Amino acid sequence: MEEDTDYRIRFSSLCFFNDHVGFHGTIKSSPSDFIVIEIDEQGQLVNKTIDEPIFKVSEIQSKPNNFPKKPKLDLQNLSFEDGRKQEVNTLVKYTDGDQNHQSGSEKEDTISDGTSECEEKADVLSSFLDEKTHELLNHFACGIKEKWLSKTELIGPPPEFSIGRILDKKQRASLHSGIRQKFPFLITVGKNSEIIVKPNHEYKELCHLVSEEEAFDFFKYLDAKKENSKFTFKPDANKGHRRAVHHFVNKKFGNLVETKSFSEMNCSAGNSNVVITVRFREKVHKRRKRPLPECQGGKVIYTAFTLRKENLEMFEAIGFLAIKLGVIPSDFSYAGLKDKKAITYQTIVVRKVTPERLKNIDKEIEKKKMNVFNIRSVDDSLRLGQLKGNHFDIVIRNLKKQINDSANLRERISEAIENVKKKGFVNYYGPQRFGKGRKVHTDQIGLALLKNEMVKAIKLFLTPEDLDDPVNRAKKYYLQTEDAKGTLSLMPEFKVRERALLEALHRFGMTEEGCIQAWFSLPHSMRIFYVHAYTSKIWNEAVSYRLATYGARVVEGDLVCLDEDVDDENFPSSKVHLVTEEEGSANTYAIHQVVLPILGSNIQYPKNKVGQWYHDILSSDGLQTCRFKVPALKLNVPGCYRQILKHPRNLSYQLIEDHDIDVKMKDPHLDEASLSLLISFDLDSSCYATVCLKEIMKHDV
């Protein structure tokens, strides 16, 4: 595939708004020369340490612990039968703090009448619970069982019973396990060191399909999580009934176990019955550190944190964190993407991971130049654009005047910065929006997706560059052979997106449907990213055309934003006004109020030459009838509006000689006395510092 040189020419020719001369310089000599700090919706820098406890659970306030303190668990001195000690140790090992586990045990080890085991679990409970609490727990369990047996419907919120706050982690773990093992029809939930006991409605649901004895043993099996163990339901000749059991187990616990049917010969009847066997999935045991409770009190856990990363692509960072936490990339949400060659700070929210679990991986991720801090519980995930902006601290090195410029360099720099500070810069999307590839850009993939060309989009994604490295060798091998399995063995582990696509292609094949499934292996935020890259490229070209055609005048048919305080793209169409002929003649509006639409299904176009330009471009790209929806990938692009000019805020700068600052990048070709520029400023969300710097310097950065 040939390089898209036309695109390169178009981007490099993006116009400037100011008329100063500018200067030359080098940015990103090292990641520490380009620091990006997210500004949250409250206007606070996210790299500031939050002065609050690591666990900030907002759902309930913990109740006072009025129970007598129990001795710390000593596994070596528990008075159990020798044959049971190993199982108890196993149960504790797989339990991680305040967790919401379904109950169960390993069926093959279950004592026939169940009495002895219950007594052992009762001993565990007795060692930590006072007599009154133990009695109340038994009474609560009996009450739940009686209501179920009487088929009485529980009205209102489900009943619950509080054990109280247990501060010792091992004691909590043993109590969680002991209660669930003794009463598999109950679940335990941890809330800020408090243990809450509730009915296990999934137990009741399974009792409608199998005997209570089977349900009892199945949930004990689940809770034991004994490696290489299996659970077998009673023989069942009814295929429809077996299908219902398969469906229930896979729907509720498919991430933990898998089911298979096997024939079992019934000698007395002379025919064969079929049994359903349940086994733990292999991946579960490879990721034992994954926090098993995905919910607390019926709510999904959301944990927010500040991520510091250095010289690392955003998606690579997310993929690495997902592996360490035992979740998938789509469990992470964020307000925006950050530069790779930089030190960046941003807020991330991850689902189904407790704050404690996240804190424990800090040392593991340091080798990838990542750190997490400000860890706290929150109520929901983040959405793209959910930030006020970004703060930048940038060093521009090796400053030089433009060719044939005889003016003083310091004066040129001061003039350029003051000009942009006063007049602003063209609000282009930066080149990082479109990828660094020379053969394929992210916008080309987005265009293919909008045209429902799924196979083409996959091939574009896996098109190699003319580089001899493991990633491009793997891509080249795939396009030559379409051997997804072989390509996976060549693709480096850190290429999370590529490996996710290849695993899906290996499973479903390089067909239209297979490619759709492959795209679904990426989270929604990644799928929509490529479509947004295409709409961003069109917006860049549209604003260049608009300024080249009408300059800084606001003319009839332009679109303007009536809200002076808009600082992002998410404002409603009601705030967008179409300039009339009279308003254009009277110079009613200023150029900084002009907006242009970002392509989508719910936007209006300018009513002048710019509007016609949009229609011509869509026609030339084959999107004249596009509704900006990709139902096959569940993508909907409503569109929005973007101001054509932006201003840096809180801008400050200082000129300094390189030997006076910490030069992280040792370059023998740099003059020791050469000037560097230290510049700091804030930008609204979705604005690019590299674009602002390009306007200041009048030079590609």
Side-chain angles (χ1 to χ4, degrees):
M1 186 175 295
E2 294 182 359
E3 179 184 344
D4 185 5
T5 53
D6 179 54
Y7 173 80
R8 288 283 176 183
I9 293 171
R10 281 181 290 175
F11 191 85
S12 64
S13 64
L14 298 182
C15 63
F16 297 110
F17 187 68
N18 294 276
D19 57 5
H20 58 264
V21 175
F23 55 92
H24 287 255
T26 304
I27 70 166
K28 298 189 177 182
S29 296
S30 72
S32 59
D33 279 356
F34 202 93
I35 298 175
V36 187
I37 307 170
E38 198 169 81
I39 306 171
D40 65 22
E41 291 184 304
Q42 288 71 46
Q44 301 299 312
L45 297 176
V46 302
N47 68 327
K48 303 297 183 185
T49 302
I50 298 174
D51 295 325
E52 62 181 352
I54 189 170
F55 300 104
K56 187 191 73 176
V57 183
S58 58
E59 289 84 347
I60 63 166
Q61 296 295 322
S62 60
K63 299 176 183 178
N65 184 7
N66 298 319
F67 302 108
K69 188 174 181 180
K70 299 294 178 179
K72 188 173 182 179
L73 175 66
D74 182 359
L75 289 177
Q76 302 302 319
N77 297 319
L78 284 176
S79 57
F80 298 138
E81 298 169 15
D82 291 341
R84 304 298 301 170
K85 283 185 180 178
Q86 185 177 358
E87 182 180 330
V88 172
N89 277 304
T90 303
L91 289 168
V92 175
K93 181 179 179 182
Y94 294 147
T95 306
D96 186 12
D98 288 359
Q99 301 186 347
N100 174 8
H101 295 303
Q102 300 298 339
S103 39
S105 179
E106 163 57 22
K107 181 177 181 179
E108 293 178 350
D109 291 343
T110 301
I111 298 174
S112 59
D113 61 3
T115 304
S116 176
E117 186 176 67
C118 286
E119 289 174 354
E120 291 167 355
K121 295 302 176 184
D123 286 343
V124 174
L125 298 181
S126 298
S127 67
F128 296 115
L129 300 180
D130 60 79
E131 186 177 345
K132 182 178 180 182
T133 305
H134 199 173
E135 182 181 342
L136 290 172
L137 174 62
N138 283 319
H139 182 73
F140 176 79
C142 290
I144 295 297
K145 202 69 173 293
E146 287 174 2
K147 287 179 180 175
W148 282 357
L149 292 174
S150 65
K151 298 184 179 180
T152 303
E153 289 295 326
L154 298 175
I155 301 174
E160 58 182 50
F161 174 75
S162 174
I163 298 296
R165 293 189 67 206
I166 309 296
L167 299 180
D168 184 89
K169 181 179 176 180
K170 288 186 176 180
Q171 291 182 12
R172 289 200 307 272
S174 291
L175 280 171
H176 276 293
S177 177
I179 293 169
R180 294 190 310 268
Q181 284 286 300
K182 184 177 180 182
F183 308 111
F185 51 90
L186 300 178
I187 58 173
T188 57
V189 180
K191 290 185 178 180
N192 201 25
S193 301
E194 180 187 20
I195 297 179
I196 306 292
V197 185
K198 298 182 178 183
N200 184 352
H201 291 288
E202 289 169 347
Y203 179 97
K204 182 181 179 183
E205 191 174 342
L206 182 59
C207 285
H208 293 310
L209 296 173
V210 300
S211 68
E212 185 175 357
E213 178 190 1
E214 289 175 280
F216 189 96
D217 289 342
F218 173 73
F219 278 94
K220 288 169 73 66
Y221 162 79
L222 273 187
D223 189 67
K225 302 214 168 32
K226 192 171 182 180
E227 194 165 358
N228 298 322
S229 63
K230 66 179 180 179
F231 175 89
T232 303
F233 287 99
K234 292 179 179 179
D236 187 353
N238 188 321
K239 184 176 181 180
H241 184 260
R242 293 198 307 271
R243 187 184 298 116
V245 175
H246 277 293
H247 179 74
F248 172 86
V249 174
N250 285 292
K251 180 181 178 182
K252 301 293 186 182
F253 314 106
N255 61 327
L256 294 174
V257 298
E258 57 186 352
T259 61
K260 289 184 179 180
S261 293
F262 295 94
S263 295
E264 183 180 76
M265 181 62 67
N266 186 333
C267 298
S268 60
N271 60 0
S272 64
N273 275 333
V274 178
V275 296
I276 297 175
T277 297
V278 184
R279 292 181 183 273
F280 283 105
R281 292 186 181 277
E282 187 175 344
K283 287 184 179 180
V284 172
H285 298 296
K286 289 181 179 179
R287 298 177 177 178
R288 279 188 197 131
K289 291 186 178 180
R290 175 174 180 168
L292 295 171
E294 298 181 355
C295 301
Q296 286 186 351
K299 290 183 65 177
V300 176
I301 296 171
Y302 292 97
T303 298
F305 60 96
T306 297
L307 171 67
R308 179 196 184 275
K309 64 179 180 67
E310 179 177 343
N311 200 28
L312 194 63
E313 186 190 37
M314 175 74 173
F315 293 138
E316 184 181 341
I318 293 293
F320 188 78
L321 288 171
I323 291 170
K324 292 300 178 184
L325 292 168
V327 294
I328 57 177
S330 58
D331 286 323
F332 293 84
S333 58
Y334 40 83
L337 302 178
K338 298 291 181 279
D339 299 71
K340 176 186 177 181
K341 192 172 183 180
I343 294 175
T344 67
Y345 298 83
Q346 68 188 115
T347 299
I348 305 281
V349 173
V350 59
R351 294 188 307 161
K352 301 183 288 189
V353 174
T354 62
E356 186 179 39
R357 173 73 186 105
L358 186 61
K359 184 183 179 184
N360 289 339
I361 70 164
D362 196 42
K363 293 189 182 302
E364 298 180 60
I365 65 176
E366 283 181 359
K367 61 184 177 182
K368 294 288 285 186
K369 295 188 176 180
M370 287 192 290
N371 298 100
V372 294
F373 58 99
N374 287 341
I375 303 170
R376 70 267 185 201
S377 294
V378 293
D379 294 327
D380 207 348
S381 58
L382 282 171
R383 56 176 171 75
L384 289 173
Q386 194 176 340
L387 73 165
K388 192 172 183 64
N390 292 286
H391 172 80
F392 298 88
D393 292 314
I394 299 169
V395 180
I396 306 175
R397 301 189 187 276
N398 198 26
L399 298 174
K400 297 177 182 178
K401 294 182 290 187
Q402 300 279 20
I403 298 174
N404 299 324
D405 181 16
S406 59
N408 179 276
L409 176 59
R410 292 176 181 268
E411 292 177 358
R412 283 294 189 218
I413 292 170
S414 178
E415 171 196 42
I417 293 174
E418 294 301 327
N419 242 3
V420 173
K421 185 177 179 180
K422 179 180 178 181
K423 298 179 182 179
F425 60 94
V426 184
N427 192 21
Y428 289 118
Y429 289 97
Q432 57 267 52
R433 182 84 166 190
F434 312 103
K436 294 184 178 180
R438 297 183 62 83
K439 287 189 174 182
V440 175
H441 303 279
T442 54
D443 58 274
Q444 295 171 273
I445 299 172
L447 176 59
L449 293 177
L450 283 172
K451 296 168 76 172
N452 283 289
E453 297 173 342
M454 301 299 168
V455 176
K456 179 180 179 180
I458 290 288
K459 288 183 176 179
L460 286 170
F461 184 91
L462 293 173
T463 296
E465 297 292 327
D466 292 327
L467 298 171
D468 188 25
D469 58 62
V471 174
N472 285 292
R473 285 197 294 270
K475 288 182 175 181
K476 184 177 181 180
Y477 175 80
Y478 182 76
L479 291 188
Q480 291 173 341
T481 65
E482 292 191 4
D483 174 13
K485 185 176 181 180
T487 308
L488 273 169
S489 66
L490 300 173
M491 186 66 68
E493 290 288 336
F494 70 87
K495 300 304 288 184
V496 178
R497 284 174 292 172
E498 286 80 355
R499 291 187 64 84
L501 286 177
L502 288 167
E503 285 173 358
L505 291 172
H506 172 55
R507 182 177 179 184
F508 299 105
M510 190 67 174
T511 62
E512 191 77 12
E513 180 60 30
C515 289
I516 290 173
Q517 294 299 324
W519 282 113
F520 268 116
S521 69
L522 302 184
H524 180 271
S525 59
M526 289 187 191
R527 300 198 302 274
I528 200 72
F529 167 79
Y530 295 101
V531 176
H532 285 165
Y534 172 76
T535 62
S536 300
K537 187 197 83 164
I538 299 302
W539 192 92
N540 274 4
E541 296 176 359
V543 72
S544 290
Y545 179 82
R546 163 63 181 77
L547 291 172
T549 304
Y550 297 118
R553 295 182 300 118
V554 181
V555 301
E556 178 186 1
D558 271 337
L559 299 174
V560 294
C561 178
L562 300 178
D563 189 343
E564 292 287 340
D565 296 325
V566 166
D567 58 5
D568 60 25
E569 301 167 358
N570 299 310
F571 53 90
S573 295
S574 60
K575 292 185 178 180
V576 176
H577 171 71
L578 187 68
V579 177
T580 65
E581 181 180 3
E582 294 77 14
E583 290 169 336
S585 301
N587 295 321
T588 305
Y589 301 103
I591 187 64
H592 72 270
Q593 294 176 281
V594 175
V595 299
L596 285 176
I598 299 172
L599 294 173
S601 58
N602 193 29
I603 50 100
Q604 62 172 318
Y605 294 100
K607 300 291 185 182
N608 50 30
K609 291 181 180 179
V610 180
Q612 185 57 49
W613 179 92
Y614 269 100
H615 293 298
D616 292 344
I617 284 292
L618 289 176
S619 180
S620 67
D621 282 347
L623 297 177
Q624 58 268 39
T625 60
C626 180
R627 299 177 62 188
F628 291 95
K629 295 181 180 180
V630 188
L633 299 184
K634 296 184 179 179
L635 299 180
N636 179 30
V637 188
C640 53
Y641 301 89
R642 184 176 175 91
Q643 293 170 301
I644 68 172
L645 294 181
K646 279 289 186 180
H647 291 76
R649 294 178 281 105
N650 302 320
L651 189 151
S652 63
Y653 64 97
Q654 181 182 6
L655 282 167
I656 197 165
E657 292 185 359
D658 274 342
H659 60 70
D660 291 334
I661 60 177
D662 182 15
V663 183
K664 301 284 178 136
M665 186 78 169
K666 302 297 182 183
D667 189 340
H669 301 293
L670 289 180
D671 185 348
E672 287 187 357
S674 63
L675 283 178
S676 287
L677 173 65
L678 282 65
I679 185 168
S680 297
F681 51 83
D682 298 343
L683 292 178
D684 292 335
S685 62
S686 195
C687 294
Y688 289 78
T690 49
V691 173
C692 179
L693 293 177
K694 182 176 180 179
E695 181 80 38
I696 290 173
M697 298 169 67
K698 293 292 185 73
H699 172 67
D700 284 334
V701 295

